[in-house]
Amino acid sequence: MSAGKCEVCLEEKPKLVNCGRCGDRKYCGAVCQRKDWPTHKYSCQPKKQPSWILKITIPDSREPQIHRTIVCPDGATFEQLHYAIQIAFGWANKHSYDFVARDPTAEERPVEDIMALMKRRAAQDNGEQRDFGPRQNFIRIVNPNDHKMADSLHSYDRRHSQTPEKKADKVYIGEQFNKKEWKSAEWEYMYDHGDNWGHEIEIIGRGKIDDAFKCTEGNGHGIAEDAGSMPGWEDLKNAYRAAKPTDEQKEKMHWFENMASNFDPEGLKGRENFVDLDVINSLLTSNIE
């Protein structure tokens, strides 16, 4: 509260209260604030909050480990964060995705035997949503266009009847990262529910108020889309490392340089750590609204 003139009664008061939503309008008290709301609500915009600084890592990647540091606006949706991750890591945005807030105290899910897997598939075919083990996540934030993706069938494996689901285009970053109920949550972004490219999201701080995504640091060339999970990516790296590549390795390199969804005509030779922040930030600016 601070000294000044009330926006409604125009009386000068030693202490005024700001509108709790936008922080711009000043009132002598609740009576004047309620009186002003029918008019003020049309111009009242939520007060902008500092951006989130996120370190996003593909933990299964090795030599080098692939990671990016992204500045994310507080008011961005998780769908916009998805696009930012796709750009920063060089993915081709051809598969489904989700975000989960993992509960670090959850019991581990037992490994399914073949009979349990068959029962779960049968239940899914019948439209049932069953537990098949303890709940793992506080929330699952899903691709709003999941039904259009070729790998949508695998999304069933990530559902749980006790885990609420929300669509990524309707959920805001600050709203979720600020939740006291799951302050201990471990955030994960999963891309391609067939190859399962997991990304750990670590909140490392807050930045200035900003409406734009930025990538400030990174390491490791983006992984080839549809490489065949991490073993396939390792095979591709080994092909480029080979002094005398076999015919099979030459085919892999040709595929990556010419045919992969996110192909790179320059290949990986001597470029395994390559990250072009200028290109990434140019794409973030021009592709995310």
Side-chain angles (χ1 to χ4, degrees):
M1 298 180 75
S2 59
K5 187 180 291 186
C6 174
E7 304 276 2
V8 177
C9 68
L10 303 180
E11 291 187 22
E12 291 198 13
K13 300 284 184 178
K15 290 185 177 180
L16 297 176
V17 62
N18 291 350
C19 171
R21 190 165 186 261
C22 68
D24 293 333
R25 303 279 285 179
K26 297 181 182 295
Y27 306 101
C28 60
V31 173
C32 282
Q33 186 171 9
R34 284 195 296 269
K35 191 180 294 185
D36 188 44
W37 180 244
T39 302
H40 176 51
K41 67 181 178 182
Y42 295 107
S43 60
C44 183
Q45 296 294 323
K47 188 176 182 180
K48 292 182 178 180
Q49 300 295 324
S51 298
W52 297 84
I53 302 173
L54 310 176
K55 182 173 182 181
I56 304 176
T57 304
I58 300 179
D60 291 338
S61 60
R62 295 288 185 273
E63 296 179 358
Q65 187 166 73
I66 302 169
H67 59 82
R68 307 284 186 265
T69 300
I70 295 178
V71 177
C72 174
D74 180 79
T77 65
F78 275 84
E79 183 176 53
Q80 289 173 313
L81 178 56
H82 154 70
Y83 290 133
I85 294 172
Q86 289 287 303
I87 290 169
F89 283 85
W91 293 117
N93 198 23
K94 297 292 186 182
H95 297 278
S96 197
Y97 69 90
D98 65 21
F99 294 86
V100 295
R102 293 197 302 256
D103 180 354
T105 67
E107 298 176 44
E108 281 192 35
R109 243 183 228 187
V111 177
E112 290 180 316
D113 58 29
I114 188 63
M115 289 305 296
L117 177 62
M118 290 173 65
K119 285 181 181 179
R120 177 160 58 79
R121 292 297 189 198
Q124 291 168 358
D125 290 342
N126 292 329
E128 299 176 34
Q129 188 175 351
R130 298 176 62 182
D131 290 352
F132 294 102
R135 176 190 62 78
Q136 302 292 303
N137 306 311
F138 293 114
I139 190 171
R140 180 173 179 247
I141 299 170
V142 301
N143 179 1
N145 298 306
D146 186 68
H147 61 287
K148 298 179 181 178
M149 300 297 174
D151 55 329
S152 61
L153 177 64
H154 296 289
S155 296
Y156 284 107
D157 295 333
R158 295 177 63 79
R159 293 180 180 173
H160 195 281
S161 64
Q162 297 174 43
T163 302
E165 293 189 358
K166 293 187 177 183
K167 294 188 183 301
D169 59 340
K170 305 295 184 185
V171 187
Y172 296 91
I173 300 298
E175 173 189 74
Q176 297 301 315
F177 287 171
N178 273 318
K179 278 200 181 284
K180 294 178 181 178
E181 306 95 289
W182 49 69
K183 195 171 183 179
S184 62
E186 298 169 347
W187 284 90
E188 176 190 66
Y189 168 78
M190 182 67 75
Y191 175 60
D192 186 346
H193 295 155
D195 279 351
N196 291 319
W197 299 110
H199 303 61
E200 290 184 352
I201 301 175
E202 179 187 0
I203 300 170
I204 60 175
R206 303 293 296 269
K208 64 180 183 179
I209 295 174
D210 203 327
D211 292 328
F213 283 91
K214 291 184 178 67
C215 184
T216 59
E217 189 268 342
N219 187 63
H221 192 290
I223 292 173
E225 193 110 353
D226 297 317
S229 299
M230 199 55 71
W233 176 240
E234 291 298 323
D235 286 344
L236 181 62
K237 289 195 296 182
N238 287 332
Y240 279 97
R241 292 169 180 169
K244 294 183 178 180
T246 65
D247 288 343
E248 182 180 356
Q249 288 176 323
K250 288 177 182 178
E251 286 179 12
K252 289 180 186 296
M253 291 188 286
H254 178 78
W255 168 80
F256 178 56
E257 293 172 19
N258 299 276
M259 301 166 66
S261 297
N262 56 346
F263 71 93
D264 185 342
E266 296 185 54
L268 281 177
K269 192 80 171 179
R271 302 177 71 245
E272 291 185 14
N273 291 289
F274 179 75
V275 179
D276 192 329
L277 293 180
D278 289 337
V279 170
I280 289 172
N281 283 312
S282 176
L283 290 170
L284 288 174
T285 300
S286 59
N287 287 277
I288 300 180
E289 298 180 353

